[in-house]
Amino acid sequence: MKNIRNFCIIAHIDHGKSTLADRLLDATGTVTDREKQDQLLDNMDLERERGITIKSHAIQMDYVYNGEKYTLNLIDTPGHVDFSYEVSRSIAACEGALLIVDAAQSIQAQTISNLYLALENDLEIIPVLNKVDLPSANVEEVTDDIVDLLGCKAEEVIPASAKTGIGIDEILSAIIERIPPPKGNPDESLQALIFDSVYNPFRGVETYFRVFNGEIRKGQHIKFMATGRSYFADEVGTLKLKQQPKDVIKTGDVGYLITGIKEAKEVKVGDTITDSKSPTSNMIEGFEDVKPMVFAGIYPVDTEDYEELRNSMEKLQLNDASLVFQPESSAALGFGFRCGFLGMLHLEIIQERLEREFDMTVITTVPNVSYHAFSNKEPDLPILVNNPSDLPDPSKLNRVEEPFIKATIITKSDFVGPVMSLCIEKRGEITNQTYLTTERVELSFDMPLAEIVFDFYDRLKTVSKGYASFDYSPIGMRASHLVKVDVLLNGNTVDALSALLHRDNAYDIGKKMCEKLRQLIPRQQFDIPIQAAIGAKIIARETVKALRKDVTAKCYGGDISRKRKLLEKQKKGKKRMRQVGNVEIPQEAFMAVLKLND
């Protein structure tokens, strides 16, 4: 055990985590020249295309230091805020972290929030100053920033360049010297933490775990404590570039487990694995439950694919535990799921992964939240409204209550003004303002949850240049003056585009929705009216003009009445067409409503 080191790499997006991981793999001889490629651990096409890490990846390296052989378990983590849940899971399986800061960009928002996650878990932090070879690098200045942030000495900050390989040996030495070996008792009964899992269509669910006490053997009878089910360990092994089967994984080590589980629901990330004959009495303190920031409906394009979509979502949830979903239905789209995401990028990535990994073509609806409606007949009995189409008739409606949250925003003092204006625009009421240090301010607001669902988080990051951390907790339901805004296309209501909005914002948002849809809906052979309505009252209208075929092109000269006759004939045809014409709404139209402020 004393020769095992478990560590992760944390940093803000684009500060060079994946490149540094590549260099560490080269330096320890984990990959051969033939296997080398950039972003080696990012094995998803989507990650390579966008140049971002979406999933944390575990890999084991062997390194000889001062004549002794060490086993290093590295977990490379994402940097984007929408995937911070991945980071928290990786941190729970480690004793140390490499905190990477870009010498050109200095300390950024995610650097700080990931650092706090690591400090909460008592991890040993090794600061690394990356990209020192860049002409724009401010080495001394950024080193001082790191010293102020961590309270360490300037000598402890390792200058490095992941691109050219400067400082890699110093980083490996620091990992072995500074990060403590794992604690744990090999003689106790098995206690291992599941920090990730992935679905393999041929072998079932592959579970990634870290052993805290005891050991796990091939062929052992094991038990998952959260579900209480027992399984047979068909295969255990370590995570090199390819999986390497072993007979036993001992205390402090990281490995994978295959039990032939086919049902995705049976594995929960954060669960404890133990021996079924002599189980451990206490579960490992897992992770806090994820808090979705954005809710949206995901529907299959073909209603017959509903069950297949459910299976795909369950398999995806295995690999991305921050996805939350439950069934719902819509008049226009049939059966689907109401899903919770950590942000708009997360929503986009999930939609892309469903299409690529599971061949599921899906439609995503406008994000929203659940409300309580009360009728005049029974003013004390709440009716749950998940979809605006479930709202009772306005004439029978007593009141509508919406969920409120207590929002806590920590930001730099320079951005207090813009953050306050944004929250007040979103119907927030400030309840508290505290200066944590001269630079950092904590602001508390009571806000409607519906207002943060759309673009609040993205705009908060924009107005604070990325330096605002946002957390919220529900504080119950409060009565609000809400109205249902319907979108009518060619006179027909589209329930997937309906929204419950505060009366003060209804006119503005209705107008913006109509304008946005006019740009996105393709022109037909007839005029398409797009209307926003509250009940029977139309509050905004735009028209998609008809495409006109040039019916007079064949008239060369001659009397004007020939042209007029053809145009009249066309006019009659257009009239008939409008009465029977149906409009197809492109997928972008559902998503565009979210980006009304762009």
Side-chain angles (χ1 to χ4, degrees):
M1 256 170 65
K2 70 177 179 31
N3 286 12
I4 295 177
R5 299 288 183 273
N6 297 319
F7 69 100
C8 57
I9 303 183
I10 55 176
H12 188 80
I13 191 166
D14 268 351
H15 280 206
K17 295 176 298 302
S18 298
T19 316
L20 182 74
D22 290 347
R23 290 298 81 75
L24 292 173
L25 295 174
D26 293 348
T28 54
T30 309
V31 289
T32 60
D33 286 347
R34 204 176 61 148
E35 293 167 326
K36 271 185 198 173
Q37 56 175 2
D38 287 343
Q39 279 179 275
L40 186 72
L41 293 181
D42 294 350
N43 51 13
M44 231 187 279
D45 293 344
L46 208 53
E47 293 179 312
R48 295 184 165 283
E49 281 167 27
R50 292 181 177 234
I52 56 175
T53 305
I54 294 166
K55 283 288 307 160
S56 50
H57 299 274
I59 191 163
Q60 191 175 83
M61 306 180 285
D62 294 321
Y63 186 61
V64 178
Y65 180 70
N66 291 347
E68 274 193 75
K69 192 177 169 194
Y70 286 87
T71 300
L72 311 178
N73 288 310
L74 152 72
I75 302 177
D76 178 26
T77 62
H80 197 282
V81 62
D82 280 16
F83 308 111
S84 53
Y85 192 62
E86 288 283 330
V87 183
S88 70
R89 287 160 35 191
S90 307
I91 283 173
C94 296
E95 276 84 32
L98 294 180
L99 179 76
I100 297 182
V101 180
D102 186 328
Q105 295 182 42
S106 188
I107 291 163
Q108 305 257 309
Q110 278 310 103
T111 319
I112 296 173
S113 66
N114 288 342
L115 171 67
Y116 286 141
L117 274 176
L119 291 174
E120 276 169 27
N121 285 278
D122 295 330
L123 263 59
E124 178 64 39
I125 308 288
I126 299 175
V128 176
L129 184 63
N130 195 17
K131 306 191 187 179
V132 291
D133 59 322
L134 289 184
S136 57
N138 288 327
V139 178
E140 287 84 8
E141 199 180 307
V142 180
T143 305
D144 291 344
D145 289 349
I146 298 173
V147 170
D148 288 347
L149 179 69
L150 288 174
C152 62
K153 297 188 180 112
E155 307 77 80
E156 291 175 19
V157 180
I158 304 170
S161 163
K163 193 163 119 194
T164 58
I166 301 168
I168 299 299
D169 292 335
E170 287 83 350
I171 292 172
L172 285 164
S173 313
I175 289 166
I176 289 163
E177 286 169 7
R178 296 195 214 168
I179 294 176
K183 299 180 179 71
N185 187 345
D187 304 324
E188 276 188 28
S189 55
L190 170 66
Q191 191 187 33
L193 171 79
I194 299 176
F195 66 86
D196 205 354
S197 54
V198 62
Y199 189 81
N200 180 329
F202 305 106
R203 311 196 63 182
V205 179
E206 296 174 1
T207 312
Y208 299 160
F209 62 86
R210 149 82 199 270
V211 183
F212 280 88
N213 290 311
E215 59 184 31
I216 183 165
R217 291 185 168 279
K218 183 180 176 176
Q220 185 176 353
H221 278 278
I222 51 155
K223 180 178 167 189
F224 287 8
M225 291 182 78
T227 56
R229 298 193 180 204
S230 295
Y231 304 99
F232 183 74
D234 291 339
E235 187 182 306
V236 295
T238 51
L239 295 152
K240 289 287 175 72
L241 193 57
K242 296 189 171 62
Q243 294 173 342
Q244 286 199 341
K246 294 271 176 81
D247 289 332
V248 60
I249 303 283
K250 298 191 169 167
T251 312
D253 216 344
V254 172
Y256 72 92
L257 161 76
I258 295 173
T259 51
I261 299 173
K262 286 281 187 278
E263 279 295 312
K265 290 195 287 280
E266 295 175 27
V267 180
K268 290 196 166 44
V269 168
D271 193 0
T272 304
I273 306 174
T274 187
D275 187 63
S276 56
K277 294 189 183 103
S278 55
T280 178
S281 50
N282 51 342
M283 286 179 74
I284 299 166
E285 286 301 312
F287 318 102
E288 57 197 62
D289 277 343
V290 60
K291 284 180 186 165
M293 300 273 178
V294 172
F295 300 86
I298 285 188
Y299 292 84
V301 169
D302 192 341
T303 1
E304 290 166 8
D305 296 339
Y306 173 69
E307 277 306 318
E308 205 178 317
L309 179 62
R310 179 198 291 276
N311 292 336
S312 305
M313 299 275 275
E314 282 172 359
K315 288 170 189 169
L316 196 54
Q317 194 178 35
L318 262 183
N319 198 232
D320 183 350
S322 50
L323 170 67
V324 193
F325 64 90
Q326 63 195 57
E328 75 164 357
S329 63
S330 142
L333 302 168
F335 290 103
F337 294 96
R338 173 165 198 70
C339 309
F341 307 95
L342 293 183
M344 295 303 293
L345 176 70
H346 190 208
L347 186 153
E348 246 178 86
I349 296 289
I350 292 288
Q351 195 181 328
E352 281 262 343
R353 286 186 70 183
L354 279 170
E355 288 184 9
R356 288 183 185 211
E357 294 172 30
F358 302 100
D359 287 334
M360 293 300 309
T361 322
V362 292
I363 292 173
T364 315
T365 66
V366 182
N368 56 1
V369 297
S370 301
Y371 301 87
H372 283 172
F374 295 84
S375 64
N376 287 324
K377 212 183 232 175
E378 295 169 321
D380 299 326
L381 190 71
I383 304 159
L384 187 67
V385 179
N386 274 330
N387 222 329
S389 52
D390 304 341
L391 193 73
D393 189 275
S395 58
K396 297 173 186 164
L397 200 61
N398 181 305
R399 67 185 187 281
V400 181
E401 290 185 354
E402 64 176 328
F404 265 69
I405 53 158
K406 181 182 174 59
T408 309
I409 297 167
I410 298 174
T411 183
K412 287 178 80 171
S413 48
D414 315 2
F415 306 118
V416 171
V419 169
M420 274 192 181
S421 323
L422 173 66
C423 293
I424 290 161
E425 180 196 326
K426 295 283 187 185
R427 298 193 284 137
E429 290 174 15
I430 187 157
T431 54
N432 199 0
Q433 178 179 353
T434 322
Y435 275 81
L436 304 172
T437 66
T438 49
E439 282 290 298
R440 297 176 67 222
V441 190
E442 182 180 66
L443 301 166
S444 298
F445 290 88
D446 286 357
M447 290 176 78
L449 181 61
E451 293 288 351
I452 70 161
V453 156
F454 271 117
D455 53 354
F456 174 77
Y457 202 45
D458 293 347
R459 285 183 62 195
L460 176 67
K461 287 287 173 200
T462 310
V463 299
S464 65
K465 295 188 181 161
Y467 274 105
S469 71
F470 173 66
D471 190 27
Y472 71 87
S473 52
I475 49 173
M477 310 292 278
R478 295 187 187 176
S480 276
H481 199 169
L482 299 171
V483 290
K484 180 182 164 199
V485 176
D486 286 317
V487 173
L488 287 82
L489 278 185
N490 213 15
N492 302 324
T493 308
V494 182
D495 75 335
L497 289 171
S498 299
L500 276 175
L501 303 168
H502 195 268
R503 187 174 276 282
D504 298 350
N505 305 339
Y507 175 75
D508 279 347
I509 293 181
K511 192 167 184 299
K512 280 183 184 167
M513 276 162 89
C514 289
E515 285 169 2
K516 201 82 176 179
L517 288 169
R518 193 197 72 209
Q519 295 162 17
L520 286 164
I521 288 175
R523 291 170 71 184
Q524 309 282 341
Q525 299 275 318
F526 52 93
D527 280 3
I528 307 169
I530 303 169
Q531 296 161 307
I534 299 174
K537 184 185 175 193
I538 305 292
I539 55 168
R541 169 176 171 142
E542 293 284 336
T543 308
V544 177
K545 289 312 238 180
L547 278 171
R548 289 193 58 177
K549 184 180 170 191
D550 190 0
V551 287
T552 58
K554 59 186 177 197
C555 294
Y556 291 106
D559 191 50
I560 185 72
S561 59
R562 285 179 64 201
K563 286 189 178 179
R564 201 165 285 148
K565 190 175 159 191
L566 287 168
L567 289 168
E568 284 299 321
K569 191 176 166 192
Q570 185 188 33
K571 205 171 175 183
K572 278 181 187 165
K574 292 260 183 223
K575 216 174 201 173
R576 193 169 67 246
M577 211 176 229
R578 181 162 63 237
Q579 288 162 2
V580 294
N582 273 337
V583 186
E584 287 199 349
I585 309 170
Q587 162 70 37
E588 299 87 73
F590 291 105
M591 295 301 289
V593 187
L594 325 176
K595 303 190 177 92
L596 290 178
N597 286 310
D598 288 4

